[in-house]
């Protein structure tokens, strides 16, 4: 709660690895952050927000709007709406703001000649890279490579990142089958132009129930979060989903039952891989998994489970894709959530987007296609996003945000545990212990969850849901204990009212 | 060639429609544009470019690089490479730079508080739109709506634009089938989570051979440009491609033969639609077509052909998607290439990206899904791109770039016609007459085309290919007669050498 101390903390440039922590989180605060929510309208959204949404509704979907935002007036962890309300933001643009609104270092970047030149001369990166491309990437994205993954593919968004990882996995899988230096056969060349095998091979991605990997046609085929995401859209019929293990929380308390459920799921994954190899119907080229299935309701599993997945995929020559679009970039208290697993050999792909601002994936040389123009596109990402990623990574280092996330997360978790004991009907299956601020719990049911979120918003705290009845905390990395205490206080007020 | 006059021309703000032309193109020049290419290395790419590519190659695909670029030093129609070469750019980042490198008005925009705030606070547009969202879009993208299409969906790139248009078409098609207000059945809700019909319906997009609509899994399934784009990637098997009419050029000279070919193609399109409705195998929810099949080799067809497509699709309740990712934003001498067709009723979707910097599609209210969150994503586009689109549209108006493109295009076309008579072996099937600077011709074969492009580059003119053996001109909209004359002069030098 010592705001003054935190605000005074000096941000020191550090070249050292993230692993080296300071004993005290030195997250630099925002000089102009409010100290409490300010709600000036009878309800949120207020009348101006409603009017702006109605105007948008004349030419674009507006029914998913929460409120219209004054981004200029937003600061740090606080989001200002068009009516003059100021809310503590524990949702952060669907988990996509890393270091706070209008961070002074990001502002400095945006005013730099380097950024401006990049912004106004958007290159076709695959043909005409900027002379500084390696320097920009290596000093940013390159400095947070997951161990063992030296290659970096840049793309436009999380869905694009996953789809391009799928493409790379498919191409590498067929290369393994045919011998990577083999020429394409006339049959392959001809059939691919008709969308038919062998040129367009009958391969599949295996994912899990409650997974969310995006909304384009490939990524959506692997997404199984909610009906509303999938209804009416054709999908690849032979891409299977294996049921996510039905674990209970806290994980540590139910480790024996959970382990049985996880082993069951692992056995099913292996059975599908083996069956498809033997009986056809679409061999599994890759398995994709989120470290925490986020949109699908913050579904966790043990490190043993993920190690098991890595083992099974490696054993059967299936690529292993870790989707860190939502879990990546420090939110769980490690830069990449999969660092918790302690894998013996790295995943084949780690995809990212959201908080990174830049999107894409890390991978191994083996999954670079044998010819250029197989993985290609006009833009292939965006230099300004790469520069923002670099600045964000610098800030995470300079402000020791990993340790901040760890300590604030621990504080939130223990406080919610206490609240859960007091309001067991409303805080159920609390989860995310030891995973930074990546915390969630279930409300009684979906309508109650929505009421709860509405009441929190009316009190000036912006929180999001996920899955069926879950409330997910997705604060920025600069969320500090005093912010957490505001959230916890308002939550208790709301629970008292229920 | 009157450079001084052009440079002196005052850019006057005009609120009038694009249709009203000035008698004289008043395209404002760039004060700092070079007057001729400058090649200081023995070959392009030079040694520094090669070294930079090799460095990139350590962590990312580099085999499609042409050369590394110094974007800060590039100006207007001139691209400066890392070795100090300055080339006339007739390729413009794969047709994606509209108004020249470092345009002073775009620079001004990038330095504005409005742009900077948008750049550093990237919103989840579907939940938390900026208060100025309608104003930004209406004053830019909204001012160039294709007639009859009031709704605007914003996305990340051309592939994403097409994929989201497909999704909207599929959802609207099933809505028509089931009655748009009908509740989803339990069977639909259950089956979609398994990627099975009826929830994930067995519907298809019809496209044409040589079409390019993107490289993600849905868009790639409709792409039929080249094997290298498709090899090794699973595709939707039942999405059909009808052969593009085998027209001859000049279109006007062969109108009778071309008409027969086009009618044959139209009959095939209708036959597939009818057959699928009757016999199953995937009803056609939408037909997608480029006004000029660009990546596939600049394949044209007559206005009558496109009118026929609109008629057939309308008659059978199939949506009609016009992919203007490459043809849009004034390159053909109209803001949208499909304006040339003189349709009686508008297309259902017009997609855009590239020169617009922003991506997405225009559509009708009918194709907005019945529920929110069916077409959704975290970012749903990017406010900075929307602001750039607005500035580009303003510049097109202010500098009368439509009439510039028309007159410069006519000059290039007639000059190439004359060159074609002189070098008939090297300039074949010249096409794009009356379509602004959107001009192409075929070289003798693919190797000769590549030699020709290499020799042009060595002389300081950067030109791209497409299709099998085509050379495509994709200059920026600020390409003027004196730029064209440099290109034409160097081309003649090269042809003399061949």
């Amino acid at each position: 709660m010592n705001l003054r101390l935190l605000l005074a903390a000096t941000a020191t440039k550090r070249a050292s690895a993230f692993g080296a922590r300071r004993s005290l989180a030195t997250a630099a605060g925002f000089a102009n952050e409010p100290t409490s929510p300010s709600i000036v309208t009878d309800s949120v959204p207020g009348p101006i927000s409603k009017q702006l949404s109605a105007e948008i509704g004349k030419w674009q979907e507006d029914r998913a709007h929460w409120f219209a935002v004054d981004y200029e007036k937003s600061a740090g962890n606080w989001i200002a709406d068009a009516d003059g309300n100021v809310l503590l933001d524990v949702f952060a643009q669907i988990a996509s703001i890393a270091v706070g609104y209008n961070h002074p270092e990001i502002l400095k970047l945006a005013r730099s000649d380097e950024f401006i030149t990049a912004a106004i001369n958007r290159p076709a990166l695959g043909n005409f890279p900027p002379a500084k491309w390696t320097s920009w990437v290596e000093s940013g994205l390159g400095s947070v490579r997951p161990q063992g993954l030296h290659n970096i593919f840049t793309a436009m968004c999380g869905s694009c990142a996953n789809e391009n990882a799928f493409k790379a996995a498919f191409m590498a899988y067929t290369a393994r089958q045919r011998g990577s230096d083999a020429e394409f056969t006339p049959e392959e060349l001809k059939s691919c132009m008709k969308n038919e095998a062998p040129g367009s091979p009958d391969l599949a991605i295996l994912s899990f129930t409650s997974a969310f990997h995006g909304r384009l046609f490939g990524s959506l085929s692997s997404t199984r979060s909610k009906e509303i995401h999938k209804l009416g859209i054709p999908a690849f019929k032979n891409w299977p989903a294996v049921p996510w293990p039905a674990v209970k929380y806290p994980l540590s308390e139910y480790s024996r039952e959970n382990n049985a459920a996880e082993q069951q799921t692992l056995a099913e994954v292996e059975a599908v891989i083996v069956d498809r190899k033997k009986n056809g119907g679409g061999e599994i080229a890759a398995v994709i998994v989120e470290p925490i299935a986020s949109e699908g309701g913050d579904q966790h599993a043990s490190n043993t489970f993920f190690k098991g997945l890595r083992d099974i995929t490696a054993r059967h020559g299936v690529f292993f894709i870790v989707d860190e679009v939502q879990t990546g970039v420090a939110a769980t208290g490690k830069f990449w959530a999969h660092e918790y697993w302690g894998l013996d050999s790295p995943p084949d792909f780690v995809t990212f987007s959201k908080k990174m601002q830049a999107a894409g994936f890390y991978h191994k040389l083996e999954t670079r296609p044998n010819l250029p123009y197989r993985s290609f596109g006009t833009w292939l990402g965006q230099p300004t996003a790469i520069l923002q990623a670099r600045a964000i990574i610098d800030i995470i280092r300079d402000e020791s945000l990993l340790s901040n996330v760890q300590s604030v997360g621990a504080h939130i978790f223990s406080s919610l545990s206490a609240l859960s004991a007091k309001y067991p009907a409303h805080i159920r299956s609390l989860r995310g212990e030891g995973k930074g601020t990546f915390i969630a719990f279930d409300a009684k049911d979906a309508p109650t969850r929505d009421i709860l979120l509405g009441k929190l918003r009316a009190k000036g705290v912006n929180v999001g849901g996920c899955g069926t009845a879950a409330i997910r905390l997705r604060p920025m990395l600069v969320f500090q204990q005093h912010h957490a205490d505001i959230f916890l206080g308002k939550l208790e007020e709301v629970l008292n009212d229920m």
Side-chain angles (χ1 to χ4, degrees), chain A:
Chain A
M1 274 294 253
N2 196 331
L3 181 59
R4 216 142 28 100
L5 254 183
L6 286 164
L7 288 173
T10 310
T12 316
K13 273 270 189 228
R14 294 172 65 214
S16 65
F18 286 117
R21 287 178 213 157
R22 298 184 180 182
S23 56
L24 185 72
T26 55
F30 286 78
N32 55 348
E33 270 203 310
T35 52
S36 64
S38 164
I39 299 297
V40 298
T41 55
D42 290 341
S43 60
V44 180
I48 297 173
S49 261
K50 281 182 186 162
Q51 196 193 322
L52 291 169
S53 285
E55 275 173 28
I56 293 170
K58 290 176 189 162
W59 59 273
Q60 186 170 72
E61 175 65 66
D62 66 316
R63 289 167 295 174
H65 288 179
W66 294 27
F67 48 81
V69 179
D70 186 334
Y71 285 99
E72 211 178 326
K73 290 202 184 128
S74 301
N77 293 279
W78 299 85
I79 186 166
D81 78 5
D83 287 274
N85 298 307
V86 178
L87 296 89
L88 182 68
D89 196 356
V90 195
F91 196 31
Q93 308 296 324
I94 319 182
S96 294
I97 302 283
V99 294
Y101 296 111
N102 292 302
H103 191 289
E105 287 298 317
I106 309 281
L107 180 62
K108 210 167 110 186
L109 167 72
R111 287 182 175 149
S112 70
D113 287 344
E114 191 167 55
F115 186 90
I116 288 170
T117 297
I120 71 176
N121 299 292
R122 190 169 187 182
L125 285 165
N127 286 153
F128 305 99
K132 290 184 186 163
W133 187 231
T134 290
S135 138
W136 288 346
V137 173
E138 285 295 343
S139 57
L141 293 178
S143 71
V144 291
R145 280 185 174 92
Q147 209 183 348
L149 305 185
H150 194 73
N151 277 255
I152 306 177
F153 185 95
T154 49
M156 301 298 305
C157 64
S159 292
C160 305
N162 284 332
E163 299 235 338
N164 276 292
F166 292 176
K167 285 178 63 174
F170 286 130
M171 289 187 276
Y173 193 86
T174 56
R176 278 183 181 176
Q177 288 179 314
R178 58 208 303 289
S180 59
D181 291 332
E183 293 276 309
F184 294 107
T185 65
E187 199 193 352
E188 283 174 311
L189 292 166
K190 199 172 163 188
S191 58
C192 80
M193 296 302 273
K194 297 178 181 171
N195 291 0
E196 289 170 2
S200 302
D202 196 24
L203 296 173
I205 301 289
L206 184 149
S207 60
F208 295 92
T209 56
S210 78
F212 183 92
H213 301 296
R215 289 170 168 271
L216 302 168
F217 283 86
S219 47
L220 188 62
S221 287
S222 68
T223 285
R224 311 287 169 133
S225 42
K226 287 180 193 166
E227 291 88 351
I228 196 74
H229 299 156
K230 293 175 72 72
L231 276 162
I233 321 291
F236 287 107
K237 286 192 180 68
N238 65 350
W239 292 22
V242 168
W244 189 254
V247 300
K248 290 182 190 168
Y249 304 97
L251 287 182
S252 53
E253 197 170 305
Y254 296 96
S255 59
R256 203 183 344 162
E257 297 94 318
N258 290 348
N259 184 53
E262 292 177 349
Q263 292 306 318
Q264 168 67 19
T265 293
L266 290 174
E268 286 188 46
V269 169
E270 187 160 25
V272 174
I273 291 171
V274 169
D275 174 68
R276 292 290 182 93
K277 268 197 211 288
K278 200 170 155 190
N279 301 317
E283 285 189 31
I284 306 301
V287 169
I288 185 168
V289 71
E290 298 158 274
I292 300 163
S294 309
E295 297 302 315
D298 271 25
Q299 312 290 344
H300 291 249
S302 73
N303 296 340
T304 309
F305 172 74
F306 292 106
K307 278 185 185 166
L309 275 182
R310 167 72 289 187
D311 288 347
I312 290 167
T313 50
R315 201 179 322 129
H316 294 285
V318 167
F319 293 102
F320 185 44
I321 306 173
V322 179
D323 176 346
E324 292 245 29
V325 168
Q326 190 156 167
T327 53
V329 193
T332 66
K334 289 194 186 281
F335 198 90
W336 302 109
H338 78 272
E339 292 172 41
Y340 283 106
W341 304 343
L343 295 181
D344 293 325
S345 72
D348 296 292
F349 299 89
V350 172
T351 65
F352 58 89
S353 183
K354 286 191 179 269
K355 281 194 186 64
M356 193 74 100
Q357 297 294 301
F361 57 86
Y362 297 91
H363 63 117
K364 300 173 184 171
L365 187 60
E366 185 200 349
T367 51
R368 212 193 275 187
N370 66 335
L371 291 170
Y373 289 110
R374 295 187 74 188
S375 277
F376 196 75
T378 298
W379 285 331
L380 287 172
Q382 190 169 22
T384 51
I386 299 297
L387 293 173
Q388 281 191 288
R390 184 180 70 178
I392 287 164
I393 291 163
D394 280 347
I395 291 165
I396 293 173
R397 282 199 190 92
D398 294 345
E399 300 187 8
S400 299
L401 294 181
L402 273 177
S403 58
N404 181 64
V405 166
Q406 289 160 4
S407 61
V408 173
H411 173 68
I412 296 173
F413 195 89
S414 63
S415 305
L416 285 174
S417 290
L419 270 184
S420 164
K422 200 166 163 191
Y423 303 96
H426 289 297
I427 301 185
R428 303 174 177 201
S429 293
L430 179 65
R431 47 205 185 265
E433 184 167 21
K435 295 288 162 69
T437 55
F438 213 99
I439 294 166
F441 56 90
D442 290 336
K444 199 168 58 182
D445 50 33
T448 310
R449 185 261 315 267
D450 295 342
I451 289 165
L452 218 151
L453 292 179
K455 283 176 184 279
L456 275 171
R457 207 172 313 143
K459 288 180 183 289
V461 180
N462 192 45
V463 185
C466 63
T468 314
I471 289 176
R472 60 172 153 172
L473 308 189
R474 292 294 178 274
M476 304 163 197
L477 311 175
V478 292
F479 198 75
Q480 293 163 28
Q481 192 171 324
H482 65 279
H483 302 112
D485 288 336
I486 294 169
F487 157 67
L488 292 162
K490 296 292 180 187
L491 177 63
E492 182 151 19
E493 284 178 27
V494 167
L495 292 174
N496 258 328
D497 284 355
M498 297 289 281

